[in-house]
Amino acid sequence: MPELPEVEVTRLSFAPAIAGAKVLDVRVGLPLRWPLGCEPGALLGRQVLQVRRRGKYLLIDLSTGLLLVHLGMSGSLRFGPPGLPAGKHDHFDLLTDRGLLRLHDPRRFGAVVYADSEQHAVAQKLLGHLGVEPLGDGFSAQMFADGLKKRQAPVKQVLLAGELVVGVGNIYASEALFLACIRPTTRSSRISKPRAARLHRAICDVLAQAVAQGGSSLRDFSNAQGQNGYFQLQANVYDRTGQACRVCAAPIKRLVQGQRSTFYCPLCQKP
DNA sequence: CCATATACCTGGCAGC
DNA sequence: TGCTGCCAGGTATATG
């Protein structure tokens, strides 16, 4: 479910409400992708200072240390009144004096990890290699073009790897490449500067638009208040195999790259 | 160092 | 109805 826009929409939907809250209780359910890394009880009494985002991670700053939250493939966060009984797939609760933050994650690819600081080993292992923020100042067409030039892998996989630019997941990678008219299989290093600039623009546009529309995502996304996205962003290619391209009417094709589905228009997108 | 495969886990769906 | 196989928004880690 969650690529950068969904994570950002989640953050925006509860960060103001939880800032300043005091941790009253912590409950862990079934194991998630990584262990919490501290005794749950050790967090009691700490204050939530703010919630930031790095790529697809949420960073919940505490008066001492921070929690790194990742939603994996199927995770979602809710922040609401306490007292609701935990369901089968609710695997982490942070009860505060301002409400209950709850991670719901059927597949358990998500995680909540405690770190003493962002520089700490655990945090660095997860965040240290991440590329630039696509919605931040560091993401220029110039650096993006330079980064693409240095890599040999197909451009789709360079985007997904998140070491050049973070937050572009499987859906938005296909969508951005469509908007830029670039085949997902094109070798990254062979993308000309003008085409790199076009892809840069497409990534910025598609992500910013998805955030603005409340985390578009094509299926069942809802923010931490339980509200759905507006579903205004309709996919041009993702999950549209065999359907007509909205631009040229050619049938959309599907292929597999690195064990992930990729969708593209064989006419609009050039190698 | 690089590129590709594997592992983690549950649920929804198409096809029989 | 129920079974089987495939597919799913991610990413650290192992392997070549």
Side-chain angles (χ1 to χ4, degrees):
Chain A
M1 174 212 305
E3 298 183 31
L4 182 146
E6 291 74 33
V7 176
E8 179 64 5
V9 166
T10 297
R11 185 185 76 83
L12 292 169
S13 72
F14 81 99
I18 205 174
K22 191 170 95 178
V23 178
L24 301 179
D25 197 13
V26 174
R27 182 191 67 85
V28 294
L30 292 175
L32 293 163
R33 170 134 197 208
W34 299 296
L36 178 58
C38 74
E39 284 303 319
L43 302 176
L44 304 195
R46 298 191 197 189
Q47 200 174 15
V48 175
L49 302 181
Q50 61 176 343
V51 185
R52 296 174 292 141
R53 181 186 54 73
R54 179 76 178 95
K56 297 169 191 166
Y57 289 88
L58 288 175
L59 312 188
I60 302 179
D61 286 310
L62 304 174
S63 42
T64 303
L66 74 161
L67 292 171
L68 312 188
V69 179
H70 198 287
L71 301 179
M73 293 277 260
S74 59
S76 59
L77 280 176
R78 283 297 198 77
F79 185 62
L84 303 167
K88 184 180 173 188
H89 300 302
D90 296 330
H91 300 301
F92 183 85
D93 282 352
L94 190 76
L95 178 66
T96 76
D97 59 358
R98 301 212 181 161
L100 172 66
L101 184 68
R102 172 167 283 173
L103 175 67
H104 177 88
D105 186 3
R107 291 179 73 181
R108 291 190 279 128
F109 290 172
V112 180
V113 175
Y114 175 79
D116 288 324
S117 82
E118 219 171 315
Q119 320 310 322
H120 207 251
V122 204
Q124 276 304 300
K125 185 183 75 178
L126 301 178
L127 307 176
H129 61 100
L130 294 184
V132 65
E133 285 292 332
L135 303 181
D137 296 334
F139 188 50
S140 66
Q142 177 71 58
M143 69 77 63
F144 184 57
D146 291 345
L148 290 178
K149 269 275 169 277
K150 288 184 207 152
R151 297 166 215 248
Q152 298 303 307
V155 58
K156 160 84 173 341
Q157 281 162 273
V158 170
L159 295 182
L160 278 191
E163 295 180 353
L164 177 53
V165 57
V166 291
V168 183
N170 207 38
I171 295 177
Y172 296 115
S174 281
E175 294 299 317
L177 287 164
F178 173 80
L179 294 178
C181 302
I182 297 171
R183 285 271 173 101
T185 45
T186 305
R187 246 181 215 287
S188 183
S189 58
R190 298 190 46 209
I191 294 177
S192 68
K193 198 158 174 187
R195 304 185 83 207
R198 189 153 184 195
L199 182 54
H200 171 265
R201 182 81 267 135
I203 290 168
C204 295
D205 287 351
V206 79
L207 295 180
Q209 210 183 109
V211 172
Q213 295 181 356
S216 73
S217 271
L218 317 143
R219 286 179 195 169
D220 51 3
F221 173 71
S222 64
N223 68 22
Q225 318 293 342
Q227 298 156 335
N228 287 342
Y230 300 126
F231 293 86
Q232 286 171 357
L233 244 205
Q234 55 175 353
N236 281 299
V237 289
Y238 185 81
D239 204 20
R240 297 196 65 234
T241 310
Q243 297 179 50
C245 171
R246 302 189 198 285
V247 173
C248 76
I252 299 302
K253 291 199 170 192
R254 171 186 184 268
L255 59 82
V256 174
Q257 294 177 287
Q259 287 77 245
R260 313 291 307 274
S261 289
T262 301
F263 304 86
Y264 70 101
C265 171
L267 288 191
C268 291
Q269 296 175 253
K270 319 278 193 230

